[in-house]
Amino acid sequence: MPVERTDARGADELHKYYEVYETIGSGGFAKVKLGRHILTGEKVAIKIMDKKDLGDDLPRVKVEIEAMKNLSHQHVCRLYQVIETSTKIYMVLEYCPGGELFDYIIAKDRLSEEETRMFFRQIVSALAYVHSQGYAHRDLKPENLLIDEDQNLKLIDFGLCAKPKGGLGYELMTCCGSPAYAAPELIQGKTYIGSEADVWSMGVLLFALLCGYLPFDDDNCMVLYRKITRGKFDNPRWLSPGSVLLLNQMMQVEPKRRLTVRQLLDHPWVMKDYSSPVEWHSKQPLGHIDEDCITEMAVNMKRSRESTTQLVKEWRYDQTTVTYLLLLSKKQRGKPVRLRPEPPVCDASSCSPLHQGLQPKQALHFSEDEDGVVLGSMEFCSDYIDDYPWVSLSHRSPQGVRGQPDGAANPNNNKNTRLASPSVEKRWGHSPNLERERVTPHRRQERRDREQERTSENKENIAVPEKDVEIFALPPPRTPVTNKKNARPAKNVLTTPTQNVSGTKTNAVTPKGGGSGSKEQSRKRAENKDPGNIEILTFSPERRSRSLDMAGTGDSGQKKRGGKMFGSLERGLDKVITMLTPSKRRGLRDGPRKIKAQYNVTLTSQTNPDQVLNQILSILPEKHVDFTQKGYTLKCRTQGDFGKVTMAFELEVCLLQRPEVVGVRRQRLKGDAWVYKHLVEDILSTSSI
Ligand code: ADP
């Protein structure tokens, strides 16, 4: 894998070129953090994988990287840079602030046919392109489609993709993908054609968009498989005849009778209200070199245009590649094709752009997380989005982002402005956003208030302000009130959240993907052609939409906990909750954030945020949800056996302006999307807010 291998200096390499912020998602293997590419000022997503944790799955990451290097399309998430160290792999990706399509669907219950069509055309476009490049994706699901700031979908997670040597028409064997989306031929262990299997998954996805639930679903894996193999699903009454027909044509058990992606491009349902078939050709073909970007890079690097072009054309997925691609992205979005000056060459640890102009102590309270990644604080990062609170680091709202000025381009909003030399400021000062920002005295006052609030909270973290540059002092690293310790005996968590909702079954979730034994065993079973063997692959609903390959993963790094400890910790929890009087919480944060109503915000009928917070706090232990509290934000997680985190999400009590009620912002960080949906619905409805 021709990647930048810097071994122990890899993390330095990362921090030399990127500011790294909060975790915005996590998957089977990776943690994804928000970052900012310093030279272009553009936001990026940084996917961080630990090689030790990857184990046998390391090849999968290599597959993903190689595939993404070959794919450049308006509806495929772009890979910008790969940094490999002796212990980690960092993939720098196009940042999609709108979150997962899944969250968008569940927030709306289901989408209208018109909105579904808009998204579906983009999915068809992405898949037609991916197939044209010889790849089958094999893990299509709404969790793997992200929404960018313009409400465009971007396909991610190519870890399970396949590129058959003889072309896409060649048969594949490996049974992978997520059970609920898997085609019948796949789960039957037959050989299959990748593109045909993808069309089936697209049918399941289309159904999920139109209905808000899955066409084939069951807690019991074998029952689910039977349903899929029969291919019978109920069409809810709200589906139009055209939708019913299309779903039926896509979810044909016999692969050869299924529609092809080519047929989907101008299918009557897809064409309704549109004048042209789906455009699937890449608008950003690989190989095209943009002269403006080259010129800007050449000036910045003090090289000739010719040698800069040569360097870019090497496509090494290093600093040159990321800089070129991000400049191009700026140009395509109508932003100035501008770079900040190259940081001076110096020892990365002492002279990273991240720290330039700051004394170590003043360095904006960076902390090192468990990945060895130096983080800017969440609050720090939120400075540039405070004016657009719905675009928080982890708050992902397509509507909110759409049409809003991009904080990234706004030097007034950007801490780096004061870190940069005057000449940099001047160059960046051309941004129209800057002007917009400056003419709003009201905003300025709000900022001063915020600044004051933060100043009083923590003086130590204040960076030295430059004259006339608006900056915000940083909040203290508050000690969160935590109930982390409220771990429960493992048997308590054997009941899945879904079952809590219905209160019906109490299926045991076994530690290793539902009794499938070791990872190796489950993989073998998944590969096994004998459906009889597949039966052993019983999985919990948690795993319904997790990739089959993953069914057996997760037991690495499990921590055994002593039973005795649980009891005392659980008792401790009661105390913590009792102590959480509103006045105490107010000490942590003066009040809840004021935000706009967004798709990921549940409106309550209440006007007292403390009351809402208390109600949620009292319900979480009942639902076996551990949490840490930071002001009005609850970082929640559920644990499986041996303390393995099965789900992580945030709930934030906030104030809405119109209507003036209390809202609860939700965000899933980790875990099965459908189980999350049920659990959060359950928490919010039981909280009677
Ligand atoms: P894994 O390969 O471990 O399954 P994913 O690539 O699916 O990890 O990423 C995990 C999660 O991180 C995603 O579901 C999504 O919520 C978030 N994420 C991934 N890539 C991006 C991105 N480019 N922009 C924003 N969020 C992302």
Side-chain angles (χ1 to χ4, degrees), residues 591-598 601-613 615 632 652-665 689:
R593 283 194 315 143
K594 291 193 179 89
I595 66 168
K596 293 189 179 172
Q598 295 303 320
V601 176
T602 302
L603 301 191
T604 73
S605 52
Q606 301 191 24
T607 49
N608 182 343
D610 291 319
Q611 207 172 325
V612 172
L613 187 62
Q615 278 160 320
Y632 287 77
E652 181 188 357
V653 174
C654 41
L655 287 173
L656 298 164
Q657 278 139 345
R658 271 185 302 266
E660 278 190 10
V661 289
V662 175
V664 181
R665 182 188 60 80
I689 49 174

Side-chain angles (χ1 to χ4, degrees), residues 24-32 45 47 49 64 77 93-97 99-100 103 143-144 146 156-157 396 550 668-669:
I24 49 172
S26 61
F29 312 99
K31 187 175 275 185
V32 180
K47 185 166 168 174
M49 286 153 289
E64 174 164 40
C77 185
L93 300 160
E94 178 178 3
Y95 172 53
C96 304
E100 296 172 15
D103 293 307
E143 296 92 308
N144 284 340
L146 302 184
I156 58 162
D157 214 343
R396 305 166 306 176
M550 295 178 194
R668 183 173 66 93
L669 290 171

Side-chain angles (χ1 to χ4, degrees), residues 640-683:
D641 290 349
F642 306 110
K644 181 177 173 266
V645 175
T646 48
M647 176 124 53
F649 58 96
E650 269 182 28
L651 295 177
E652 181 188 357
V653 174
C654 41
L655 287 173
L656 298 164
Q657 278 139 345
R658 271 185 302 266
E660 278 190 10
V661 289
V662 175
V664 181
R665 182 188 60 80
R666 328 164 298 266
Q667 196 214 336
R668 183 173 66 93
L669 290 171
K670 176 187 176 141
D672 181 277
W674 296 98
V675 179
Y676 157 80
K677 169 180 154 68
H678 290 306
L679 177 60
V680 172
E681 276 171 2
D682 191 24
I683 292 168

Side-chain angles (χ1 to χ4, degrees), residues 452-459 474-476 478 588-589:
Q452 203 153 20
E453 179 190 328
R454 290 173 182 169
T455 311
S456 60
E457 282 172 353
N458 184 14
K459 297 212 164 51
L474 296 161
R478 300 185 184 101
L588 294 169
R589 192 181 185 120

Side-chain angles (χ1 to χ4, degrees), residues 109 168 251 306 330 366 380 468 502 567 609 645:
D109 272 348
L168 247 196
M251 286 185 276
E306 289 67 34
K330 284 175 86 164
F366 292 107
F380 161 45
D468 284 345
S502 62
V645 175

Side-chain angles (χ1 to χ4, degrees), residues 98-106 111 119 123 141-147 153 205 209:
E100 296 172 15
L101 180 59
F102 176 86
D103 293 307
Y104 189 77
I105 303 171
I106 60 152
L111 308 189
F119 281 134
I123 297 168
K141 52 183 177 181
E143 296 92 308
N144 284 340
L145 284 154
L146 302 184
I147 302 172
L153 291 184
L205 217 158
L209 286 166

